[in-house]
Amino acid sequence: MTFGLFGSGIVGLLFALLLQGVVFSPNRRLYGKLVAMEKNIWLQNPWRCGFVVFGFNAVLFTLVLAIAWGSMVASATSGMLIPLFLYAPVAVAVSILGWLWIGRIRRHSFADRAKVALTGSGFYWLLSVAAWIRLQTLEPRFPGEDTFMAAIGFVFLLMIACVAAFLCTLLLGWPRRGRHEP
């Protein structure tokens, strides 16, 4: 299970790195659309941009959670084994590409980039805090219940949320050299 989580994250990161050249290459059609998006009103205000990234993170996490739950229900009802970590690399790649995209088209001061980065990654920071609190207050629901597997689940959630929060903050807030010229 740990190898599945780690392996799917690595595959997603490699997938995002491979797609980065396709998405951000100046001779592609998508690049022109990305440059045109720089003039949108939601990118001009750092708080608004941060809340859009926050929503993007929340929607993507909820979508992955719904797919995982649906996969478990489908495998339980039909007896068909569906690999749970088949879609995780795609979710990681979409997240990283989205953060890179917002980070590349944002051209503002360090303070504005910090506002976008901390507001946008706030979903994962809040999820990290919630997982930590839940892990610290984990108690059996009935006498004799073993909470070991629940604790392992919260540790995995804590690791995933912390890495996502740190990576989102880094990719949105770090200044990049060699950005496009409008």
Side-chain angles (χ1 to χ4, degrees):
M1 171 118 174
T2 305
F3 181 71
L5 282 171
F6 182 72
S8 64
I10 295 296
V11 168
L13 185 63
L14 292 174
F15 188 56
L17 290 174
L18 288 173
L19 285 178
Q20 181 181 1
V22 173
V23 173
F24 299 119
S25 177
N27 56 358
R28 305 283 182 173
R29 286 180 57 195
L30 185 58
Y31 180 80
K33 292 178 184 176
L34 294 177
V35 172
M37 289 288 289
E38 187 178 54
K39 293 175 179 53
N40 279 350
I41 189 71
W42 62 271
L43 284 173
Q44 302 305 318
N45 184 346
W47 293 109
R48 189 177 294 156
C49 183
F51 284 122
V52 167
V53 175
F54 185 95
F56 168 74
N57 290 338
V59 166
L60 191 61
F61 183 81
T62 305
L63 182 66
V64 168
L65 197 61
I67 290 172
W69 181 77
S71 298
M72 288 187 282
V73 168
S75 66
T77 58
S78 69
M80 182 174 67
L81 294 175
I82 301 172
L84 292 177
F85 298 109
L86 186 64
Y87 49 85
V90 175
V92 171
V94 167
S95 294
I96 291 173
L97 287 174
W99 299 332
L100 282 173
W101 174 64
I102 294 292
R104 282 202 180 197
I105 60 178
R106 292 275 309 149
R107 290 192 179 172
H108 292 285
S109 66
F110 176 76
D112 285 348
R113 281 194 315 268
K115 290 175 191 173
V116 171
L118 292 176
T119 306
S121 64
F123 173 77
Y124 288 115
W125 289 119
L126 290 174
L127 189 63
S128 299
V129 169
W132 177 257
I133 290 171
R134 185 67 176 109
L135 181 63
Q136 297 302 314
T137 60
L138 187 62
E139 293 181 2
R141 289 177 290 194
F142 53 87
E145 180 189 26
D146 185 17
T147 58
F148 180 72
M149 291 307 290
I152 287 178
F154 284 118
V155 167
F156 282 148
L157 176 62
L158 185 62
M159 287 185 334
I160 291 169
C162 284
V163 168
F166 179 73
L167 196 59
C168 181
T169 304
L170 183 71
L171 291 177
L172 289 174
W174 193 266
R176 274 170 246 349
R177 304 200 190 289
R179 286 186 275 187
H180 63 273
E181 297 298 324

